[in-house]
Amino acid sequence: MAMRLYLAVGCGAAIGSLARFLSGYVIVSQLGLNALYSTAFVNVVGSWIIMAFATLTGPDGRLMVGPASRNFVMAGFCGGLTTFSAMSLDTFILLFEGDLPLAATYLISVVGLSLAAAWLGYLMVSRFNRLPKGSQANG
Amino acid sequence: MTLAACALVLIGGFLGGISRFFLSGVVGRGIGETFPWGTLLVNVSGALAIGAFAGAARIHGGIFASDLFRDLIVVGLFGGYTTVSSFCLQTLNLALDGEGRLAAFNIVASSVLCVLFVALGFWAVLWMAG
């Protein structure tokens, strides 16, 4: 049972990490944006998904899933997609280069936007959970 | 962007995710889950390691500055190990439970300590190299 949970988290984290790597490739190499944007992007998106999914599959949620599926998405995929280490390293490099204003702006924006995205995910799905069952196409 | 790079990220991410799940579980069971100490420890230790590797890449170059090392260890292992999503989830849950002070403490402690520990890892490696 524990083995199954670990495997679910590991596979989810592998896929999430690959998604982070590929989105970084698109944002930096294809769109030509600074790498700071790719770290911000995955952190904001992953924070929305984890809170939306937690609310959807929580006690008042509409979707019932087992612990392995829940951990595959939350601790696995979202954990792998988001990264605190790259964000901290980016901030440190900006400080090291002497750009304190940009370092502070970057760290505060990414942490703030990630928290706001998580809050939005919670609000959107809570609203969806409260809709009358009959209004759903496949209720 | 090669298939080999993607495979390295997958392997690193797999191991990083499992390590995070294990460590945050051990800490949570050990000292309770009211405050997310486990995630904080994961993110701070990941920051220390990434700082040390950035220092090693700067001083020694070689393997530490290679694409293989970056994809497997920096992007895969420590990218997959550390997490912003669990940090947000746990911070919001604290706030929703009326623990606004703990939520604020978690935000400030995580942000400040992680940058501080990147610096610590980086300078420790530079200092050891003389």
Side-chain angles (χ1 to χ4, degrees):
Chain A
M1 188 61 204
M3 187 70 189
R4 211 169 149 246
L5 278 186
Y6 276 99
L7 213 58
V9 171
C11 291
I15 297 167
S17 298
L18 184 63
R20 170 164 40 81
F21 185 57
L22 294 176
S23 71
Y25 173 74
V26 170
I27 291 171
V28 178
S29 302
Q30 301 297 308
L31 302 178
L33 293 170
N34 192 298
L36 297 178
Y37 287 103
S38 73
T39 304
F41 176 76
V42 290
N43 285 342
V44 170
V45 171
S47 299
W48 185 88
I49 297 175
I50 199 171
M51 203 65 195
F53 192 79
T55 312
L56 187 67
T57 60
D60 302 320
R62 286 210 167 191
L63 188 65
M64 285 274 284
V65 294
S69 308
R70 204 159 193 261
N71 279 302
F72 172 79
V73 175
M74 291 169 59
F77 180 78
C78 294
L81 180 65
T82 62
T83 171
F84 220 115
S85 54
M87 182 171 71
S88 311
L89 181 64
D90 290 345
T91 307
F92 171 70
I93 291 171
L94 290 172
L95 284 174
F96 189 75
E97 289 168 349
D99 201 341
L100 175 65
L102 184 58
T105 309
Y106 171 70
L107 185 63
I108 293 169
S109 320
V110 180
V111 171
L113 287 174
S114 300
L115 286 165
W119 176 240
L120 193 69
Y122 169 76
L123 288 181
M124 286 165 76
V125 178
S126 302
R127 208 181 147 95
F128 172 72
N129 284 341
R130 282 194 304 269
L131 288 176
K133 290 272 183 197
S135 66
Q136 238 184 334
N138 302 313
Chain B
M1 178 56 55
T2 61
L3 272 181
C6 292
L8 291 172
V9 171
L10 280 170
I11 295 167
F14 181 86
L15 297 174
I18 284 184
S19 312
R20 166 166 42 77
F21 192 64
F22 173 75
L23 188 62
S24 58
V26 167
V27 173
R29 284 188 295 274
I31 56 176
E33 299 192 333
T34 315
F35 186 82
W37 292 111
T39 301
L40 185 63
L41 179 66
V42 162
N43 284 337
V44 168
S45 56
L48 181 70
I50 217 92
F53 286 127
R58 190 179 169 87
I59 290 195
H60 303 295
I63 182 80
F64 295 111
S66 65
D67 284 353
L68 181 144
F69 191 83
R70 189 202 58 199
D71 298 338
L72 181 66
I73 307 293
V74 177
V75 179
L77 186 63
F78 288 107
Y81 176 65
T82 61
T83 172
V84 167
S85 56
S86 295
F87 156 78
C88 287
L89 174 86
Q90 290 154 345
T91 304
L92 277 189
N93 282 340
L94 282 174
L96 290 169
D97 290 343
E99 301 281 2
R101 280 185 176 191
L102 286 181
F105 172 76
N106 193 36
I107 295 170
V108 175
S110 298
S111 308
V112 172
L113 286 178
C114 284
V115 177
L116 200 68
F117 272 74
V118 170
L120 209 65
F122 184 83
W123 291 119
V125 168
L126 258 63
W127 180 76
M128 282 188 288

